[in-house]
Amino acid sequence: MNNPVSTYRIQLHKDFGLKQLEELIPYLQALGVGTIYASPLFAAVPGSNHGYDGTNPHIINPEIGTEESLRRVSQKLQEAGINWLQDIVPNHMAFHPDNEWLNDVLEKGVQSTYAPFFDIAWTSNLHKGKLMVPFLGDTLENVISNGALQLAYNNQRLVLKYYDAVYPLSSRAYETVLAGEKPSDAVKNLITQIQQLHTVEDRKAYGESWDEIKGQLAGLLKNKTVKGYVDKRIKAINENKTLLQELADSQHYHLCHWQETDHRINYRRFFTVNGLICLNIQDESVFETYHQYIKQLLDEGIFQGLRIDHIDGLYDPTEYLE
């Protein structure tokens, strides 16, 4: 077992990445450091200065470097006789638009492959089976009234846009948006496919079919007539506060004022940080998926050990360690 006798803490972020760490190696060696202990290095919220608000445990945070630079630094550390103890965060992920696992849950609800990944009280009476999204600066009604929430087409999907945050729409909402006056035959066909999708129960099949439908819509929007029609429908809904409210209310999530969490919340968060949603890491499939990349790097000898962040927050810390 590796025994980290003399350690040096490394805080990785956009202003101190793997390049800077590589330049520091001679200094660490001169100090007599035997092990570096680094903060999380997987993809995190843009601009994060610590990495504990992860968005994807399967890629290196591009703000601090690449996998190639990671391998190079690891090799140079080993040549200098310095081990690498890497911090990971299995307890929670960022509740952020860059978290594609969570975006999939917002879009598909319990039909999402990732619905079991997050510790959400789907069956509670709070928000009636919808995931609470407590990031508005006012009530949903007031945010719609003052025009801060808008329907938009962003990154090949329909979303509700609130300043820089975007929240994906459900498949049923696409029907509402597309079903206006005199849609083209291609749009009608797309609506029929969406209606048929509602009968699919298998999560994987549902996800694959839905991705195909969104791809078809993206292709159709290259046509000026179809794009003009969809743009007109988006504009009409944005100008009708009642329709926009109904659209927001029909999602698999409930957009609400951040202060609502003072008295009710239907997902487990990190302490009282609304922006960190906890994982069901005790689920074997979640465990395997989450640790897939870090295990690969460990098996290759990139790191010599792990430090587990907030193991006290896990369902069964002992089982996790075993």
Side-chain angles (χ1 to χ4, degrees):
M1 178 181 290
N2 174 43
N3 185 12
V5 176
S6 53
T7 62
Y8 192 103
R9 166 73 175 184
I10 300 294
Q11 188 82 0
L12 297 166
H13 50 80
K14 62 183 178 63
D15 297 318
F16 187 89
L18 294 169
K19 181 178 182 294
Q20 287 76 20
L21 173 55
E22 183 176 354
E23 294 170 351
L24 198 65
I25 293 175
Y27 171 72
L28 297 174
Q29 189 176 29
L31 278 180
V33 172
T35 301
I36 63 163
Y37 156 39
S39 62
L41 46 64
F42 296 138
V45 170
S48 175
N49 61 7
H50 50 75
Y52 292 93
D53 45 2
T55 55
N56 188 340
H58 292 168
I59 59 173
I60 303 300
N61 186 348
E63 291 189 353
I64 68 169
T66 64
E67 184 177 305
E68 181 183 3
S69 57
L70 171 71
R71 294 179 185 280
R72 184 174 62 251
V73 172
S74 175
Q75 180 62 37
K76 289 194 174 184
L77 283 168
Q78 290 179 50
E79 290 172 356
I82 300 174
N83 290 318
W84 190 331
L85 186 65
Q86 181 56 45
D87 209 344
I88 63 170
V89 193
N91 181 60
H92 54 263
M93 293 180 72
F95 202 135
H96 188 272
D98 283 3
N99 185 341
E100 285 302 322
W101 291 1
L102 190 58
N103 270 337
D104 200 72
V105 176
L106 295 178
E107 185 177 59
K108 303 183 180 78
V110 293
Q111 279 285 81
S112 168
T113 303
Y114 298 102
F117 278 51
F118 299 97
D119 199 349
I120 302 167
W122 289 108
T123 58
S124 77
N125 291 325
L126 296 175
H127 305 289
K128 300 178 181 179
K130 298 181 179 185
L131 172 59
M132 188 178 188
V133 181
F135 301 106
L136 302 183
D138 204 336
T139 64
L140 176 59
E141 293 75 13
N142 288 342
V143 165
I144 289 175
S145 178
N146 64 30
L149 186 75
Q150 294 279 290
L151 171 65
Y153 186 75
N154 178 272
N155 196 23
Q156 297 195 344
R157 61 185 172 191
L158 289 169
V159 299
L160 289 172
K161 193 171 188 297
Y162 179 67
Y163 297 105
D164 292 334
V166 292
Y167 302 103
L169 263 61
S170 68
S171 58
R172 291 186 185 278
Y174 277 64
E175 284 186 67
T176 302
V177 175
L178 296 175
E181 293 183 13
K182 299 179 181 180
S184 66
D185 289 341
V187 172
K188 287 180 182 177
N189 178 57
L190 205 62
I191 293 172
T192 299
Q193 289 184 59
I194 294 171
Q195 291 170 340
Q196 293 171 344
L197 179 69
H198 302 327
T199 64
V200 179
E201 295 182 359
D202 180 77
R203 282 173 171 159
K204 184 178 180 181
Y206 181 94
E208 290 174 350
S209 296
W210 181 228
D211 287 342
E212 184 178 331
I213 290 171
K214 287 188 295 182
Q216 288 183 48
L217 176 59
L220 288 175
L221 287 174
K222 294 177 181 178
N223 178 283
K224 283 188 177 181
T225 301
V226 174
K227 187 177 186 305
Y229 171 79
V230 174
D231 286 346
K232 184 178 178 181
R233 288 293 299 147
I234 290 174
K235 184 174 184 290
I237 292 173
N238 281 330
E239 291 175 348
N240 189 320
K241 306 300 183 185
T242 300
L243 280 179
L244 189 57
Q245 179 76 52
E246 290 175 355
L247 193 71
D249 288 339
S250 69
Q251 302 311 305
H252 296 297
Y253 50 89
H254 173 60
L255 289 167
C256 59
H257 193 289
W258 64 269
Q259 289 182 330
E260 277 198 34
T261 59
D262 290 345
H263 57 275
R264 62 177 181 174
I265 187 168
N266 70 343
Y267 66 90
R268 183 166 61 90
R269 57 187 172 171
F270 179 70
F271 288 93
T272 57
V273 183
N274 292 342
L276 295 175
I277 183 169
C278 292
L279 292 160
N280 285 320
I281 209 70
Q282 72 277 5
D283 184 306
E284 187 174 349
S285 62
V286 179
F287 181 96
E288 294 291 341
T289 302
Y290 182 89
H291 294 90
Q292 178 181 319
Y293 188 38
I294 189 65
K295 184 178 187 301
Q296 174 193 326
L297 296 174
L298 280 165
D299 288 345
E300 292 179 17
I302 303 298
F303 308 120
Q304 286 68 55
L306 298 179
R307 182 262 179 183
I308 313 302
D309 179 64
H310 272 283
I311 194 170
D312 55 329
L314 304 185
Y315 181 80
D316 189 335
T318 301
E319 181 183 39
Y320 174 85
L321 289 175
E322 289 173 348

